[in-house]
Amino acid sequence: MSIRKVSIKDIANEVGCSIALVSFVMHNKETNSNKYRVNKDTARRILEAADRLGYMPDSSARALRCGRTNTIGVIVSDISNKFFADIARCIEDRAHAHNYVVIFGSTDEKAGKLDVLIDVFINKDVDGLIIVPCENSDLSIKKVEDMKMPMVLLDREIEGADYNSVILDNYNSAMLLTDSLISRGCSRIEMISYSMRLSNIKNRENGFIEALSNAGLQTDKVIHRVHHDKLDQMASILDDIKARGTDGILFATNTLSLTGLKNMIQKGWRIPDDFHVATFDDSDVFEINNFEISYIRQPVIQFGTEAVDLILKNIKMKNAYSAHTRITLASKLIVCNK
Amino acid sequence: MSIRKVSIKDIANEVGCSIALVSFVMHNKETNSNKYRVNKDTARRILEAADRLGYMPDSSARALRCGRTNTIGVIVSDISNKFFADIARCIEDRAHAHNYVVIFGSTDEKAGKLDVLIDVFINKDVDGLIIVPCENSDLSIKKVEDMKMPMVLLDREIEGADYNSVILDNYNSAMLLTDSLISRGCSRIEMISYSMRLSNIKNRENGFIEALSNAGLQTDKVIHRVHHDKLDQMASILDDIKARGTDGILFATNTLSLTGLKNMIQKGWRIPDDFHVATFDDSDVFEINNFEISYIRQPVIQFGTEAVDLILKNIKMKNAYSAHTRITLASKLIVCNK
DNA sequence: TTGGTTAGCTAAAACATTTTAGCTACATTT
DNA sequence: AAATGTAGCTAAAATGTTTTAGCTAACCAA
């Protein structure tokens, strides 16, 4: 960066006009508002000079002056988790298409990290934030809202609060999965879930229970909750479940199912002989295998595009306050190797 | 963002001093340089006021004044590819630890997209760029170097040019994989690679050939190249290979192996009965399976940390020109389900 | 009492841009 | 001939920092 950047002033000098005129030309491109009109020929000379000198507007200066950075911040649980990586990619594409740039951060489900990231990103003057909230992050989220920073929650909502959000229809998705296990002949189904109290997890659990109850199956003590960073609890939970004569397992997330499947393979269990399995999110694992499994495919692209569109809409509206928008996406049940 | 941010000036007003003094205090924190010393008590009052008013420095203004944004740009092939997603996560963590923020972009292996992203990111005034170069991106890369923008190449190098880079020891890794197939009894091994001419791909191919040749095996017509976005060529290539009585396959990347394995499963082939398989990068697939496979585990964390450390070193040095640093990382061979 | 040092502070420039307010010179209308 | 309109342009303020140069008042030595 040692080579000095060419500024609007250099162009003005080259052409022999004021910097204001250069600024006007750079903005209004072809079409001049009838308020500030500039001579066709002058405009051409300015554009030529800009091109010749290799002018690129300084975004810091522009941001300082205009208060907009054309940057949006995206905070997820873990960018290396396939689900979020996929969404990140879609967000990136959509944002770039609208001349926005994206900065990412991962919370590891820690409210503390989320709060720091929010501060860092706000401090970076992002124009808006797309956030996957985690447990106990209610206050951090409220802080963002209170300062009227455009915000969209992703994948999860905050109970009892009204924000913009894009989430999956977790309740119905869980019912679909459960029904699929039932239709495969399972009569004793249990769920392996997280102990985190997140809206998506809760709704998945509720949908599961509802489906069981509709089918007249037992709903008592059928949910097992693993601590999010104590996944080694999985082995003993599986043993418990097996001992109880369970014939179907529903995993609440991709990480849980992959961990669970690894454990089951290690134990030498067979699918579906020992268990029928259903889970959320797809994985290469399911296609490169011969065991039967049903899973919910989340509409990743829609997650990304809807979130970006919603945040941009909020950014455009600026302070003009309007009601929040809640978008719930439908999912698709896939049955693999039936 | 409608709520006006509190600035250094507000603090100055509150305390009743000049803005310069506030700036000094905010910088030199506890310790005052002996050039610009400030009264202990005044300093305390300023810090208190800053805290009370909720002051956060404006990064646009700071960037404009200082020419540094504390932002690094990272351009990879595809952030949703597990390998890059993992690296992205490590880069993020390392950068945040040094008070840097990261913006990401994906090229889809298109030189055109890379060039646009470079322009956008430079225009955003990033302090440095970490780039996974793609085919025909030599000129774009050179452009970055020529403007003395700190830059580190990741995963791949540019032939015949000297840049900072962090790459895997692809040559030896490919030899390890090939040797592993040989030691499992393979005598006719073929490789499925990309038609893209990238340094990592080339070195993997070369290591493969070298290992075959060392073992006295045939090296003629043993490499098959798939076009990077015509992965449906995989099915017929596999048929070809099978017809020729091949007993070992080496996949050059994770995408290739996953695609290949899906095809093989679909065809009803068995591993290792029909083929022995080796590949680069690990995947959940390998653990949740019972077929034998050997793969190269890349040191993802090192990729991220070394790249960030190197770019930061270059940023600190500013224009002080120094030789380029090339870091080659060692890999680890994993044999799964032997 | 003068001269010099220094602790503690400030004014103002600089960074690159956007935008407001208004100027000049010419053309048109009355 | 005066008034009005307008095409085409400019000066300057404003955005929030950092940093240079230098000021004032107090203190100390001679």
Side-chain angles (χ1 to χ4, degrees), chain B residues 22-266:
Chain B
V22 178
S23 179
F24 292 147
V25 172
M26 297 321 267
H27 280 165
N28 306 344
K29 294 280 169 197
E30 312 301 290
T31 149
N32 315 326
S33 88
N34 62 352
K35 177 110 192 263
Y36 296 110
R37 56 257 135 160
V38 9
N39 184 286
K40 275 280 179 199
D41 188 61
T42 323
R44 187 187 46 72
R45 279 164 49 229
I46 288 176
L47 288 172
E48 276 177 14
D51 195 45
R52 187 169 56 249
L53 301 180
Y55 170 70
M56 300 194 90
D58 180 305
S59 42
S60 304
R62 184 174 282 176
L64 175 59
R65 178 57 228 238
C66 305
R68 290 193 314 106
T69 54
N70 272 44
T71 303
I72 63 184
V74 176
I75 305 180
V76 301
S77 306
D78 180 5
I79 189 82
S80 73
N81 176 300
K82 183 69 179 156
F83 173 61
F84 293 119
D86 284 346
I87 291 184
R89 178 59 206 271
C90 299
I91 290 179
E92 177 198 317
D93 287 345
R94 191 73 166 189
H96 285 174
H98 287 89
N99 272 309
Y100 273 74
V101 141
V102 183
I103 60 184
F104 286 104
S106 305
T107 63
D108 288 320
E109 304 289 1
K110 307 239 192 306
K113 278 200 185 185
L114 175 59
D115 200 64
V116 169
L117 281 170
I118 286 176
D119 281 350
V120 170
F121 285 9
I122 285 179
N123 178 238
K124 266 274 157 197
D125 271 327
V126 293
D127 293 338
L129 282 171
I130 295 176
I131 301 179
V132 176
C134 53
E135 231 183 2
N136 302 319
S137 58
D138 309 29
L139 260 59
S140 304
I141 301 296
K142 185 165 185 317
K143 176 176 73 179
V144 178
E145 182 81 3
D146 285 349
M147 64 201 321
K148 303 225 187 295
M149 163 72 70
M151 175 179 69
V152 171
L153 300 187
L154 194 75
D155 190 43
R156 307 159 189 178
E157 298 179 307
I158 303 282
E159 293 206 350
D162 180 36
Y163 298 119
N164 295 304
S165 60
V166 182
I167 59 162
L168 187 76
D169 183 350
N170 289 290
Y171 189 86
N172 280 309
S173 301
M175 287 188 68
L176 284 176
L177 286 173
T178 313
D179 289 344
S180 133
L181 287 173
I182 293 173
S183 75
R184 275 197 259 149
C186 296
S187 59
R188 167 143 194 122
I189 308 173
E190 311 207 359
M191 179 174 189
I192 298 187
S193 180
Y194 277 131
S195 54
M196 288 185 289
R197 298 296 74 198
L198 298 170
S199 72
N200 58 341
I201 300 288
K202 280 197 209 176
N203 288 329
R204 289 173 191 190
E205 292 181 359
N206 292 341
F208 169 62
I209 295 292
E210 172 76 5
L212 287 186
S213 149
N214 286 350
L217 296 179
Q218 181 185 334
T219 60
D220 210 34
K221 302 200 176 166
V222 290
I223 301 183
H224 305 266
R225 300 199 176 89
V226 183
H227 190 285
H228 143 270
D229 42 35
K230 286 186 190 139
L231 286 173
D232 49 344
Q233 299 175 332
M234 182 66 76
S236 67
I237 289 183
L238 285 172
D239 287 335
D240 276 10
I241 291 181
K242 182 123 200 269
R244 230 172 305 124
T246 301
D247 55 6
I249 300 186
L250 170 56
F251 289 102
T253 74
N254 60 356
T255 305
L256 285 172
S257 66
L258 294 177
T259 309
L261 288 171
K262 279 178 200 171
N263 273 278
M264 290 164 76
I265 297 295
Q266 228 162 12

Side-chain angles (χ1 to χ4, degrees), chain A residues 114-172:
Chain A
L114 174 60
D115 200 64
V116 170
L117 281 171
I118 286 176
D119 281 350
V120 170
F121 285 9
I122 286 179
N123 177 239
K124 267 273 156 195
D125 271 327
V126 292
D127 293 338
L129 282 171
I130 296 176
I131 300 179
V132 175
C134 52
E135 229 183 4
N136 302 319
S137 59
D138 308 29
L139 261 59
S140 304
I141 301 296
K142 185 166 185 317
K143 176 176 72 178
V144 178
E145 183 80 3
D146 285 348
M147 66 201 323
K148 301 225 190 293
M149 164 71 70
M151 176 179 69
V152 171
L153 301 186
L154 195 73
D155 189 43
R156 308 159 188 177
E157 297 179 309
I158 303 282
E159 293 207 347
D162 180 35
Y163 298 120
N164 295 305
S165 60
V166 182
I167 59 162
L168 188 76
D169 182 349
N170 288 291
Y171 188 86
N172 280 309

Side-chain angles (χ1 to χ4, degrees), chain A residues 67-75 91 95 100-104 117-118 120-131 144-145 147-153 164 307-308 310-316 318, chain B residues 1:
Chain A
R68 292 194 311 108
T69 54
N70 272 46
T71 303
I72 64 185
V74 176
I75 304 180
I91 290 179
Y100 273 74
V101 142
V102 183
I103 60 183
F104 287 104
L117 281 171
I118 286 176
V120 170
F121 285 9
I122 286 179
N123 177 239
K124 267 273 156 195
D125 271 327
V126 292
D127 293 338
L129 282 171
I130 296 176
I131 300 179
V144 178
E145 183 80 3
M147 66 201 323
K148 301 225 190 293
M149 164 71 70
M151 176 179 69
V152 171
L153 301 186
N164 295 305
V308 171
L310 193 48
I311 199 79
L312 290 184
K313 188 179 128 201
N314 273 265
I315 292 172
K316 305 290 179 239
K318 277 266 180 193
Chain B
M1 286 286 298

Side-chain angles (χ1 to χ4, degrees), chain A residues 8 23-24 27 36 55 58 62 65:
Chain A
I8 219 181
S23 180
F24 291 148
H27 279 163
Y36 298 110
Y55 170 71
D58 180 304
R62 184 175 282 177
R65 177 57 227 240

